Amino acid sequence: MTEQQIRDQFFLTRDAPAAIAGRTLRVDELVRSLWRNIPPEVALLAVGGYGRSELFPASDIDLLILTRDEKTQLEIKDPLSLVLRDLWDAGLRVSQSVRTPLDCNQIDAANAELAVSLLDRRLLTGDESLFRLIRDPKPELGRNIVELTRSRHTQFQNTIYHLEPNVKDSPGGLRDLQVLRWLSKLGAGDQDLFGDGVPVLFEIRCFLHYLAGRDDNKFSFERQDEIAKLIGAASTEDLMRQYYRAVRGISRLAGRRLDRFEAKRSSLFSQFRDRTSKLSNSEFSVLHGSVFFRAPQALDLNPGLILQLFEFVGRHGLPLAPDTELRVDRHNKAFQVWLETHQPVWPPFREILRQPHAAQAVRAMHQTHVLEAIFPELLEIDAFVIRDFYHRYTVDEHTQLAIEAAMNLRNKRGDQFGDLAAETDDLDLLIAALLFHDVGKAWPDENHTISSPRIAAIALKRCGISERALDMVCFLISAHLELSATMSGRDTSDPATIREVATKTGTVEKLKLLTLLTYGDISAVNPGAMTPWRRQLLWGLYTETHARLTRELTEHSTVPDTQANPELRSFLEGLPPRYLRTHSQKEIAEHLRLDQEALGWGVAVSLVKDEAWILTVVGSDRPFLFASAAAAISSFGFNILKAEAFSNAQGRVIDTFAFADTGRSLELNPDETKHVIKTVERVVKGELRADQLLARRPRVKPDPYALSKSRSSFDNHSSSTATLVELVTQDRPGLLYDVASLISRHGANIEVVLVDTEAKKAIDVFYVTKAGAKLTDDEAAALTTAVAEIARGL
């Protein structure tokens, strides 16, 4: 069959093994036909995926040419080049190496990938005696396989639940399947115990290759939609649930196999195993560092022993043995029946949540479906996908990661949030709140901050939770977005903002738990979500609100003594109270120094590193100064996080920009700071045009879906001094410059800008005034409409 015929047959039948076998057979025939002009004393081997006879539609063709000596290699150089050229001309991506049997038998850990490829070798044609001279790699190769696998898993945060997984390299993917096979060949496991996930992975990868026309293994949102339609899935979400459930078995088996391999070869683990074996009690045995039922038949008489099992896991932080997991799974239905007659279950469940390793216990309960047996409501978010370019994981995995992030803070003594976690009571209620905080997302027709606490209340009341505990859990769930929304959309140095947060939290106890919940929730969005800047914002919001709740906050700023310093008195004249409230005396002194420097040069710029980079511009006010400085910063590829603009009675401006340098160019190239400062100075003076600087940045391809979801709004109530204009749209270079310029053209001034970027989405909030006062509703509406249009490129 031709490649096209194989493809057509696959789309008709979805028979991935047949497509793979058909392509392998076709390539075998082609390679052998072209090999006829090579001397017979040379052996041609297929290795890697080709050696396994698993050629996916766009897989590379891995060949090993085997000769007796280097002299033969020189003799076949020209005819071999012709063969390889013909294979490439036939549309095959060929990867070849030329070796002797001695070379192959000397391959070791220094070249682990080549050694691994030899585990899947197959003679295509040529001298069979040469092929037989290759010995199997030594079992020590397993150590390299385990190290490479651990490293690969780390790149994917050790989870299968990515919204856009890589079906080959993600945990539980096809690479893990091969790891299991390789370790089996090296005597470290059994063959052919890989579960039902393999056919699903084979089918998806075939679709990915055929649709992309290349070796593309990323299961992107676009491909998910295409494949869901092709296979007739009820929805894309249903297709993804099939995927996650398919890879679970492979992932868990691979994890066990890796652990077992490391345990056999680790003296440290042997010591740990000996120590943990002493933790055994009358119900559970600890063998080889894992937990077993001492009397497995006891589960038949008392399924409630399962709860004691997870309390034991939470107390000691030990994993379940595979046999234990299997027994728990087999008794799941009996456990559900037991629950019906043994309520309330909240007291023993809460005891699990109070253990030092509660997060590990909760994850183990989720993996064995015990958590969902207690709370069937959680089944709705099992492997549940919500399309979001910012969130990286499924809803249930996000939940587990949030619990782990919050609970792991207890191990970070000396860290601000770690100390807060250590001194906070009722962390068990925090875990309960995190378990349910996103459960309402399974019902998208209702705001999940409303539906989630309602569902949690039903589930927890059924289990016998007390009213006091339920009130706290439901408060945390309903308010779980409050602090993060305040951080990204409100000026946290504004007393009105702090008053509002303090009113909503009500007590110090609620504030502490809500802060820890917010920390876990943000940290679990994606690996880079909890940036140092967000940590600083969250901690500042906590401390200011805590002070307000404990009546230690004063809204009266500490005014510097200006009697003996006329320059300072003149500089501060006309600056709003907010300036004094948000700047230390040291910062004010630095701004005064910059102001005096700017008198001679027209403008002065400083750049310092704190939690973020802080760039300050001081000089005479002029139209579009703020927008131009923002454009200059953006032209370097930096991400502006927050900006403030102040002006005094003398018409002098103090603009500050906090920005992130994600590429670490300033850290790695200290002299680059001088270039940044000089560029900003020249732009502010009008010597460089801001739009020309931005033109050098790569253009972002407009996303019609993202732009269609763009929105802008204004708020004339949250601040007593300014109108808030919020913009949510697709992020792009120069967006802040365009909007700031537009605001200037409307005769308005920007007091503060709060910038938050979630993946491809920009969330900008502008505090705007006009003639020192708020905008009227009509002015704000007109400005908001214009902002929305410019965001959409109109």
Side-chain angles (χ1 to χ4, degrees), residues 105 138 206 256 273 359 425 446 598 659 698 718 726 757 771 789 793:
N105 292 332
K138 297 178 181 179
C206 282
R256 294 172 191 161
R273 181 178 60 196
D425 297 326
E446 186 177 9
F659 66 84
S718 295
E726 181 181 31
T757 304
E789 290 177 349

Side-chain angles (χ1 to χ4, degrees), residues 11 431 659 661:
F11 275 83
I431 298 176
F659 66 84
D661 175 18

Side-chain angles (χ1 to χ4, degrees), residues 477-498:
I477 297 173
S478 61
H480 79 270
L481 295 179
E482 287 292 343
L483 298 188
S484 56
T486 301
M487 289 159 53
S488 62
R490 296 290 300 277
D491 179 8
T492 56
S493 62
D494 186 342
T497 299
I498 302 303

Side-chain angles (χ1 to χ4, degrees), residues 52 54 120 172-186 188-202 243-258 260:
R52 293 190 299 273
E54 289 183 355
D120 298 310
L174 289 168
R175 183 69 75 188
D176 275 4
L177 175 64
Q178 302 317 324
V179 167
L180 289 168
R181 291 172 172 172
W182 294 330
L183 292 178
S184 297
K185 289 184 177 182
L186 293 172
D190 301 321
Q191 277 273 29
D192 302 326
L193 296 174
F194 309 131
D196 301 326
V198 177
V200 176
L201 282 176
F202 275 33
Y243 166 81
Y244 295 123
R245 289 166 178 169
V247 300
R248 276 176 182 168
I250 296 174
S251 177
R252 291 174 69 180
L253 184 56
R256 294 172 191 161
R257 195 69 54 80
L258 295 176
R260 188 190 310 169

Side-chain angles (χ1 to χ4, degrees), residues 3 6-7 10 15-31 46-63 87 91-95 120 122 124 168 174 178 181 202 205-207 209-210 215 217:
E3 290 277 7
I6 295 172
R7 183 185 190 279
F10 170 75
D15 188 343
I20 293 167
R23 183 170 189 249
T24 301
L25 178 61
R26 180 181 175 278
V27 173
D28 282 354
E29 293 173 348
L30 177 61
V31 170
V47 294
Y50 185 27
R52 293 190 299 273
S53 297
E54 289 183 355
L55 271 185
F56 285 85
S59 294
D60 290 351
I61 313 300
D62 295 325
L63 298 174
L87 289 173
L92 302 179
R93 288 169 50 89
V94 181
S95 175
D120 298 310
R122 177 168 63 93
L124 290 171
K168 179 180 179 182
L174 289 168
Q178 302 317 324
R181 291 172 172 172
F202 275 33
R205 194 184 187 201
C206 282
F207 271 122
H209 282 200
Y210 279 132
D215 187 8
N217 300 299

Side-chain angles (χ1 to χ4, degrees), residues 23-81:
R23 183 170 189 249
T24 301
L25 178 61
R26 180 181 175 278
V27 173
D28 282 354
E29 293 173 348
L30 177 61
V31 170
R32 287 172 179 144
S33 68
L34 294 174
W35 196 255
R36 287 174 297 187
N37 293 326
I38 303 297
E41 59 270 19
V42 178
L44 178 63
L45 281 63
V47 294
Y50 185 27
R52 293 190 299 273
S53 297
E54 289 183 355
L55 271 185
F56 285 85
S59 294
D60 290 351
I61 313 300
D62 295 325
L63 298 174
L64 174 63
I65 296 94
L66 206 57
T67 67
R68 292 193 179 277
D69 49 42
E70 294 182 358
K71 178 182 177 183
T72 307
Q73 294 175 6
L74 291 174
E75 293 174 351
I76 66 169
K77 183 176 180 181
D78 291 338
L80 178 60
S81 297

Side-chain angles (χ1 to χ4, degrees), residues 688-759:
L688 282 176
R689 287 180 53 183
D691 55 350
Q692 291 178 343
L693 285 176
L694 289 172
R696 302 184 311 198
R697 293 289 311 282
R699 296 187 63 83
V700 173
K701 182 180 178 181
D703 183 337
Y705 177 80
L707 291 176
S708 70
K709 297 295 183 181
S710 294
R711 67 178 189 273
S712 61
S713 59
F714 73 90
D715 176 358
N716 253 338
H717 303 288
S718 295
S719 172
S720 60
T721 59
T723 298
L724 277 63
V725 176
E726 181 181 31
L727 170 66
V728 180
T729 189
Q730 181 186 10
D731 194 24
R732 60 174 171 80
L735 176 63
L736 180 57
Y737 168 71
D738 289 342
V739 177
S741 298
L742 174 70
I743 291 172
S744 293
R745 289 197 295 273
H746 276 248
N749 298 313
I750 296 173
E751 304 295 334
V752 183
V753 181
L754 306 175
V755 180
D756 198 6
T757 304
E758 299 180 353

